[in-house]
Amino acid sequence: MAVALIVAAGRGERLGSAMPKALVPVAGRPMLEWSVAALREVAAVTQIVVALPEGLLDAAPAGVVAVCGGPTRSESVRAALRAAAAADEIVVVHDAARALVTPALFSEAITELERSGVDAVVAAAPVTDTIKQVRESPAMRVSATLDRSRLWAVQTPQVFRRAALERALAAPAQLLAAATDDAWLVEQAGGSVALFAASAENFKITTGLDLQLAELLLGRRERG
Ligand code: CTP
Ligand code: MG
């Protein structure tokens, strides 16, 4: 059985909306509620904990445990994990900003962790652009073209063995602040991480363009 943590305590600066990003309406509901609704369909998930911005705990959907998030994403994950029931050995971490996630993707992530011997499994989509690395000086001078066949853009859900995630989140504040991804903290702590292929449709809503695309796709899902 698993506990699910949704991090929703960011400000959404790049989206530039007046309210925190996770509460911005998308296709008729606050962004956060799409991920909560998907998780409710997953039989293995026994509890949902949501990290919200300070003062906005009332915005949590009924039936979830709401906690106050931290100043960085990793600290929000840590706050949510602290509030999670200790009985569950598997921890699912998900960004509220990935509102297009499906119950099937959560289930697949949990099954992958159970099947594999690793500490964490991470949803990821193959990179479709060619990625070039540049030098700092002279600025923008290309130093390498990376082998695209081995590059993956990582997403959430990221699913962990609880002990490995607790160990990773015990890292110093500086390392936590540098992490954009919890699996990286597990890597830093010497843990093993594997990817599994997910759809690019599970994109993160970061900019206004992403929000428009999410509105279109979720509106279509809603209409069946
Ligand atoms: N998040 C969080 N606590 C923070 C920062 C981020 O819970 N202190 C969450 C966001 O709510 C989001 C997820 O982490 O669901 C991914 O972060 P991101 O897409 O960067 O969202 P924001 O930080 O809100 O956006 P921005 O960086 O543009 O301000
Ligand atoms: Mg952010």
Side-chain angles (χ1 to χ4, degrees):
M1 288 302 183
V3 62
L5 317 179
I6 305 182
V7 282
R11 282 206 293 266
E13 277 173 7
R14 287 168 289 180
L15 189 61
S17 86
M19 66 179 89
K21 182 165 77 177
L23 305 179
V24 167
V26 193
R29 337 182 186 173
M31 191 182 297
L32 165 66
E33 291 194 13
W34 288 98
S35 297
V36 171
L39 273 169
R40 285 201 168 116
E41 303 286 312
V42 183
V45 171
T46 56
Q47 189 187 28
I48 302 172
V49 183
V50 179
L52 283 158
E54 206 179 336
L56 289 172
L57 298 198
D58 288 352
V64 310
V65 175
V67 299
C68 197
T72 64
R73 186 185 173 285
S74 300
E75 284 172 278
S76 293
V77 173
R78 195 156 67 172
L81 184 58
R82 246 186 249 127
D88 295 307
E89 279 303 308
I90 293 180
V91 182
V92 178
V93 179
H94 185 64
D95 291 336
R98 293 190 191 270
L100 285 105
V101 68
T102 59
L105 190 61
F106 282 124
S107 298
E108 190 181 350
I110 294 167
T111 306
E112 275 298 312
L113 185 78
E114 284 170 336
R115 196 188 55 79
S116 67
V118 295
D119 295 311
V121 301
V122 175
V127 166
T128 53
D129 290 324
T130 294
I131 309 284
K132 291 190 190 287
Q133 196 172 340
V134 295
R135 294 184 210 285
E136 268 180 67
S137 168
M140 297 302 273
R141 185 72 58 83
V142 172
S143 58
T145 298
L146 306 180
D147 175 6
R148 193 172 67 191
S149 67
R150 295 178 55 196
L151 294 176
W152 292 76
V154 306
Q155 308 175 343
T156 65
Q158 303 199 346
V159 182
F160 302 87
R161 296 187 197 280
R162 185 175 182 132
L165 182 61
E166 280 174 348
R167 209 176 316 124
L169 290 170
Q174 221 178 338
L175 204 63
L176 289 188
T180 54
D181 160 58
D182 308 297
W184 180 72
L185 291 169
V186 170
E187 293 161 48
Q188 293 302 304
S192 52
V193 178
L195 306 183
F196 72 98
S199 165
E201 192 170 327
N202 180 39
F203 63 86
K204 185 158 73 77
I205 303 171
T206 305
T207 64
L209 179 65
D210 300 329
L211 185 62
Q212 286 183 50
L213 185 56
E215 186 84 38
L216 206 76
L217 295 171
L218 289 173
R220 194 183 292 167
R221 265 192 217 172
E222 192 88 310
R223 289 189 299 273

